[in-house]
Amino acid sequence: MQPLLSPQFHASRSLQRILPRLQATFAAQIAADPSGWQQFTRRLEAHFPALFRLYFDLYSTRYDFFYHLEDLLSGLARAWFERPTDLRVLDDAREAQPLWFQSHHMLGGVIYVDLFAGNLEGVRQKIPYFQELGLTYLHLMPFFRSPQGENDGGYAVSSYREVDPRLGTMVQLAQLARDLRAAGISLVVDLVFNHTSNEHIWAQKARAGDPDFMEMYFIFPDRTLPDQYERTLREIFPDEHPGAFSPVVVRQGAEETNAWVWTTFHAYQWDLNYANPAVFNRMAQEMLFLANQGVEVIRLDAVAFIWKQLGTPCENLPQAHQLIRAFNRVARIAAPALLFKSEAIVHPDEVVKYIDPAECQLSYNPLLMALLWNSLATRKVRLLSHALSTRFKIHPQTAWVNYVRCHDDIGWTFSDEDAAFLGVRGDDHRRFLNEFYRGRFPGSFARGLPFQENPKTGDCRISGSCASLAGLEKALTEEGPAEVELAIRRILLIHGITLLVGGIPLIYLGDEIATLNDYTYRDDPAKARDSRWVHRPRADWQKYARRCDPLTVEGQVYQGLQTLIALRKQNQVFSGGELSVISTQNDHLLAFERMHAGQRAVVLANFSEAGQPLPPGFFTRLNLTPEHIAFQMGRFDASDMQSLGPLSLIVFIPGR
Ligand code: GLC
Ligand code: GLC
């Protein structure tokens, strides 16, 4: 009779077979670093069963499965032996305190290296500024070698191991990571793992007809399969090319033939084929290489797209989750300090599926972002309140990354079902929001631009800087001081929510000094077709110099933000993510309570430009008195406590 063999049995038998072979391969390293080897095998034994399960589910149908499994493990051992001592110390510290990222001290910032500071050395020189602002997390937008001219803002990577020579070197990056860490700041970097640029050596070899490299991408001899796939695909960058495939010329022997390659985004961004375990192994190597430079958080770019299957939308497939979970185990074994942040700008039901200690510990919160802008436009908080009560809670060992703007456009990714529940038709409402943020709707304060308008579907997303979308550009150029004041309040109001709501607040640097839209991208042929460049300007250090002058707009926004940041950092209640929404019986007023370590805070925000009443007895029921006010922006008469002034934000912290 055949014995019944459990997956654990297969896992442990595989490990028993592979370990001695690793010991032989790495004999010299083991002799030089026996305690390192011990640490490695301890973690390997703890995480291999889970890694094996995932890898087996993804790749066991391959005849060469075991070859790839062994190759993966030797890659892990190699990366571990290369891991610098200071990072191994960090590994231990993070394992001892795995929820460090939930602290109320956390504050994120994101910059483009060249636009903010010229190059990596320039970024290093700005560390005092990051400290002044209070950052503990710095995301550098992709700085890797990438094609000259158009490269999707660096998201077309030609080498994961080389810095764009104009920005510096990998040695400088590692030094920057150390300097940042010494200043209490964790380095966050993209792993653009859905695609490489068409100039990556893998893509070049694929074009040259090397079968090992052709298998790393999706290359088709004709339109048969692309046409079949496209029946169920969404168009992501319809401005650039219809559908998901681009023509490519491939060498076959002595001949050049026309073929099609999968390009979800731009024609120069080739999607990687993760159905091939060699792709998984190589990307695991690239990830560990970055971790060994001192990167503490990897932003997993465009996670939704990494697995393809005919007859499906090829977004958010179960295998995409398995892949990330397998990468997560890879990190636990060979670079345990590393965290993952998911970039899934998709339906909220799908966003949360990436969030798990075993998958991505951190995730962008695109729903909160979109609904903050929705609330400013509608002056109503119903969708926002509803989303906070039903969709904000995530696994207690994870955290949202809350933001109001980033380098990308705003997509209205709220759920149609939630909208319908509140009597709103999703598509009509999205059309309204697009009109509003393009400044084409009566009562609109915004100066946004359309992004990837799709004439076939009527879809559109919005580009624009925080300040311009919040009304500052219009107020400064066409209106007056009263409107400027309102715009500043809008900026502070939505930033205030991201700072206090629970999770890691992330500031798109430039927003802290109310940077406006920059229309000069239209003169640059490498940028003109992509309106996202309107909110990716070069940092204006003269403008930054005004940040401490309260008579300037920059000063008012910067100082206002600093007050809110201090409020967060001084009160432990803003740690973690526990939140409950409070009913205000007023569509314009948002209220929520935060709880942590026995403390509570209540946050109240008025999203309309008119004063708004609170129901009688509101504060009595919450046991709040004027003495509990810890922060106040806008009018709020503490003597009667009955209404909130226009665009005001009030925070109560009893028992401070
Ligand atoms: C991510 C990036 C975006 C880029 C896309 C393709 O969504 O945020 O800027 O265009 O991936 O890499
Ligand atoms: C799409 C993708 C998202 C990306 C964005 C860039 O919305 O889903 O991942 O950030 O395009 O514009």
Side-chain angles (χ1 to χ4, degrees), residues 152 234-237 264-265 299 301-305 315 343-346 406-411 413 451-452 461 530 532 536:
D152 194 18
R234 167 169 87 101
E235 291 181 318
I236 304 302
F237 280 178
T264 297
F265 295 90
R299 173 189 183 273
D301 180 61
V303 285
F305 301 93
E315 281 186 56
E343 192 247 352
I345 314 300
V346 289
C406 69
H407 69 288
D408 276 331
D409 48 292
I410 302 178
T413 60
F451 177 67
Q452 301 291 341
R461 282 117 72 183
D530 187 334
R532 290 176 297 173
R536 299 172 180 175

Side-chain angles (χ1 to χ4, degrees), residues 477-599:
T477 52
E478 296 168 24
E479 298 169 328
E483 281 74 19
V484 170
E485 163 81 27
L486 291 178
I488 292 175
R489 292 230 193 129
R490 286 188 199 102
I491 297 170
L492 292 174
L493 183 70
I494 54 177
H495 275 99
I497 307 280
T498 62
L499 281 156
L500 305 176
V501 75
I504 303 176
L506 176 61
I507 301 175
Y508 184 55
L509 291 203
D511 287 349
E512 78 281 25
I513 54 158
T515 301
L516 299 176
N517 282 350
D518 173 5
Y519 299 96
T520 58
Y521 77 96
R522 289 171 172 159
D523 307 327
D524 180 343
K527 299 179 174 168
R529 293 191 305 160
D530 187 334
S531 69
R532 290 176 297 173
W533 288 100
V534 81
H535 55 255
R536 299 172 180 175
R538 194 163 284 285
D540 176 346
W541 290 97
Q542 281 175 353
K543 205 169 146 62
Y544 266 98
R546 294 194 286 272
R547 70 185 181 277
C548 298
D549 178 353
L551 297 178
T552 62
V553 170
E554 293 82 1
Q556 285 165 34
V557 170
Y558 188 79
Q559 300 298 323
L561 257 174
Q562 284 281 287
T563 311
L564 283 160
I565 292 169
L567 179 74
R568 171 181 168 88
K569 295 210 178 208
Q570 284 158 14
N571 293 283
Q572 225 198 330
V573 64
F574 297 115
S575 287
E578 209 180 317
L579 166 140
S580 71
V581 172
I582 300 169
S583 158
T584 60
Q585 296 169 40
N586 181 327
D587 277 354
H588 309 286
L589 298 182
L590 176 74
F592 59 82
E593 184 171 42
R594 295 293 320 280
M595 283 82 63
H596 188 81
Q599 249 203 339

